Amino acid sequence: MTNRRSFLQTGLVAGAATAAGLISKTASAASQPAPEAPMILLGGHTLPKLEYGYTDLEPYIDADTLQIHHQKHHQGYVNGLNKTEIALEKSRKNKDFSAIKDLEIALAFHGSGHVHHSIYWDNMKPKAHAKSKPEGRLATQITKDFGSFDAFKAQFSAASKSVEGNGWGVLSWHPGLHRLYVAAMLNHQNMGISGGVPLLVCDVWEHAYYLKYQNKRGDYIGNWWNLVDWANVEKRLENLL
């Protein structure tokens, strides 16, 4: 009996020590800072790779448009952003800000162009793989802020179609105002609410659709909805909450 009692006591102590060790390791892991995003060197931005092939978004977006849009237009914004960052660094070192107005305009234009295009590619998937409707917190927030999912889509489509010249339809989350907003943005950087974080973007610059749709922007927007991957949009919102 004594041996059995001793064995049980030893086992309990060992088990408690093991549990304490596991808890200690878990607490230690939880206390560690999240891994930092890879550092991008000044002027070192690069064109992101697509998660699908140039033919994979057909028939809604044709391969020629997608390839030119990605390799030429988006690359142009990456190049412009890198060039501007380097020019601003040179201005700081030389203490010469005579060109600051033009450089700040270029930074906003090319930087926003790079950001919006990167989101645009990730927002889309081939229709067979795209989540067709939002769920969870995003779906609840859309209903709260727009009345219904259909009402949101109608507003987003109308706003995107209404852009004068070049721009974007944008669904953004504003962490300060705690709401979702739709914006009809001009170029890449104008007509949005300051502080809003883009979740879903539709490129309505003519280079995004003109080879296939010509002047029928509304048809392009209507077909673009077939490619929206709501799983990606949901993830973007969750990362902000």
Side-chain angles (χ1 to χ4, degrees):
M1 180 66 71
T2 301
N3 290 339
R4 183 172 183 273
R5 184 181 297 113
S6 176
F7 172 79
L8 288 173
Q9 289 175 342
T10 302
L12 288 171
V13 171
T18 301
L22 289 173
I23 292 171
S24 176
K25 289 180 180 179
T26 302
S28 176
S31 66
Q32 296 300 314
E36 295 182 1
M39 180 178 292
I40 299 175
L41 298 177
L42 190 74
H45 301 281
T46 58
L47 184 70
K49 294 182 179 180
L50 301 185
E51 297 297 320
Y52 39 80
Y54 290 125
T55 62
D56 290 347
L57 301 187
E58 292 184 338
Y60 309 109
I61 296 178
D62 61 286
D64 287 343
T65 293
L66 186 57
Q67 184 171 4
I68 294 170
H69 193 176
H70 179 242
Q71 293 184 357
K72 303 297 183 181
H73 291 281
H74 190 174
Q75 183 67 63
Y77 298 122
V78 172
N79 295 343
L81 174 59
N82 289 334
K83 180 180 178 181
T84 305
E85 286 188 348
I86 292 170
L88 283 166
E89 174 67 4
K90 183 178 179 181
S91 293
R92 290 190 292 271
K93 286 182 177 180
N94 296 336
K95 299 182 180 179
D96 176 9
F97 297 104
S98 57
I100 192 64
K101 180 179 179 180
D102 290 340
L103 289 175
E104 293 293 353
I105 290 173
L107 181 68
F109 180 78
H110 291 294
S112 298
H114 175 41
V115 168
H116 279 152
H117 278 92
S118 298
I119 297 171
Y120 178 68
W121 309 131
D122 284 350
N123 280 162
M124 297 187 293
K125 274 188 178 179
K127 184 178 180 180
H129 304 290
K131 186 174 183 179
S132 60
K133 281 192 175 182
E135 296 178 326
R137 176 65 185 271
L138 177 61
T140 300
Q141 196 70 42
I142 286 174
T143 300
K144 177 182 176 183
D145 293 336
F146 298 99
S148 69
F149 179 62
D150 288 341
F152 153 71
K153 282 186 67 175
Q155 181 179 338
F156 188 99
S157 295
S160 301
K161 187 177 179 180
S162 75
V163 172
E164 295 180 351
N166 300 313
W168 298 78
V170 179
L171 172 68
S172 63
W173 168 254
H174 200 292
L177 302 178
H178 302 286
R179 288 183 63 91
L180 294 168
Y181 291 94
V182 165
M185 296 192 70
L186 300 179
N187 293 328
H188 303 298
Q189 74 280 23
N190 300 319
M191 300 292 287
I193 299 176
S194 181
V197 182
L199 305 177
L200 174 69
V201 298
C202 180
D203 192 343
V204 292
W205 283 64
E206 287 186 344
H207 62 240
Y209 62 88
Y210 209 83
L211 286 181
K212 179 176 178 65
Y213 295 95
Q214 295 163 7
N215 64 332
K216 299 175 182 177
R217 180 187 282 181
D219 290 352
Y220 155 69
I221 296 167
N223 282 332
W224 169 80
W225 285 112
N226 289 287
L227 302 172
V228 173
D229 178 29
W230 285 102
N232 179 265
V233 188
E234 290 168 359
K235 183 178 179 180
R236 290 180 181 278
L237 179 61
E238 291 300 325
N239 287 341
L240 297 173
L241 299 178

